[in-house]
Amino acid sequence: MRLMFYREVNNTRIELVKGDITLQEDVEAIVNAANAELMPGGGVAGAIHRAAGPELADECRNLAPIAPGEAVITEGYKLPNSFVIHCLGPVYGVDKPEEELLANCYRRAIQLARENKIKSIAFPAISTGVFGYPKLEAAKVAFKAVLDELALSKEINLIRFVLFEERDLDIFQKVFED
Ligand code: AR6
């Protein structure tokens, strides 16, 4: 994992790193870019379920389906994290209004963290893979949603964006610096 950039906002450290969401050992909760059925699938969801083991899908079965913009929380099982917060992002061009639905994912995830006394969370770039959300637009929505939510309380210590590809890190960094 490579720390690229950080900033303090209202008592919270916001970090950008290049890395794998399943290898964030120092955060209490990681966020899954889930599907509606909360089943393994590809991308982030596949990686998280593989690392957590089959008990994660067992717990998820009782919580599915979820709608775009919604989030649910489970245990982390074999992951190094105590919790997984599963968010369903919008499919770009299909689930509308997509900005609002994507923002809801980030905000709801942070709210669930707060409700569960979680102080550190790592997010992937929700909806920017299979769901086709353009990265630059997604980065803008993600930061705004996180900043809006953090303005409401000081309880979260760390929010980390974990970008899988160098190019995505560059995009998120540019938006973050603006
Ligand atoms: N760690 C961090 N980021 C990752 C990782 C990883 N291990 N793997 C991929 N990414 P996606 P979505 C990046 O497709 O667009 C699944 O099949 C990836 O480069 O995982 O919300 C589910 O089952 C991309 O930028 O999520 C759903 O059906 C970003 O994470 C559907 O895909 C999100 O890619 C969800 O699609």
Side-chain angles (χ1 to χ4, degrees):
M1 183 180 82
R2 213 145 50 81
L3 172 63
M4 294 306 296
F5 196 77
Y6 79 94
R7 181 165 135 188
E8 300 278 341
V9 177
N10 195 26
N11 205 42
T12 305
R13 179 181 166 100
I14 303 179
E15 294 182 350
L16 299 187
V17 306
K18 180 172 183 293
D20 183 325
I21 195 74
T22 64
L23 301 176
Q24 307 303 312
E25 280 148 22
D26 57 337
V27 300
E28 288 165 86
I30 59 169
V31 173
N32 183 12
N35 49 66
E37 298 306 322
L38 303 176
M39 286 297 113
V44 167
I48 286 178
H49 278 269
R50 266 195 307 281
E55 286 171 297
L56 179 61
D58 291 342
E59 184 178 357
C60 281
R61 213 161 274 126
N62 304 315
L63 302 170
I66 63 170
E70 286 184 355
V72 294
I73 187 164
T74 65
E75 288 180 39
Y77 299 98
K78 291 190 181 131
L79 283 160
N81 322 96
S82 301
F83 300 96
V84 179
I85 298 173
H86 307 258
C87 293
L88 178 61
V91 177
Y92 193 74
V94 175
D95 298 315
K96 294 184 189 249
E98 47 230 349
E99 276 184 27
E100 189 181 319
L101 294 173
L102 185 59
N104 287 351
C105 286
Y106 285 94
R107 296 194 70 155
R108 189 68 195 122
I110 294 171
Q111 288 161 11
L112 276 175
R114 251 193 230 120
E115 286 163 28
N116 287 276
K117 312 235 175 298
I118 293 164
K119 307 249 175 239
S120 49
I121 320 169
F123 283 98
I126 300 169
S127 280
T128 66
V130 173
F131 284 178
Y133 212 114
K135 309 243 163 137
L136 180 62
E137 300 312 313
K140 289 179 185 165
V141 172
F143 284 130
K144 183 175 185 314
V146 164
L147 293 177
D148 286 349
E149 197 56 42
L150 290 180
L152 302 179
S153 101
K154 292 183 189 285
E155 290 158 86
I156 308 283
N157 296 332
L158 172 66
I159 293 198
R160 177 179 296 154
F161 288 95
V162 180
L163 288 320
F164 205 46
E165 294 165 43
E166 193 75 42
R167 202 171 58 95
D168 300 348
L169 185 69
D170 291 344
I171 293 170
F172 271 68
Q173 189 167 345
K174 280 199 188 82
V175 173
F176 201 39
E177 282 170 344
D178 278 349

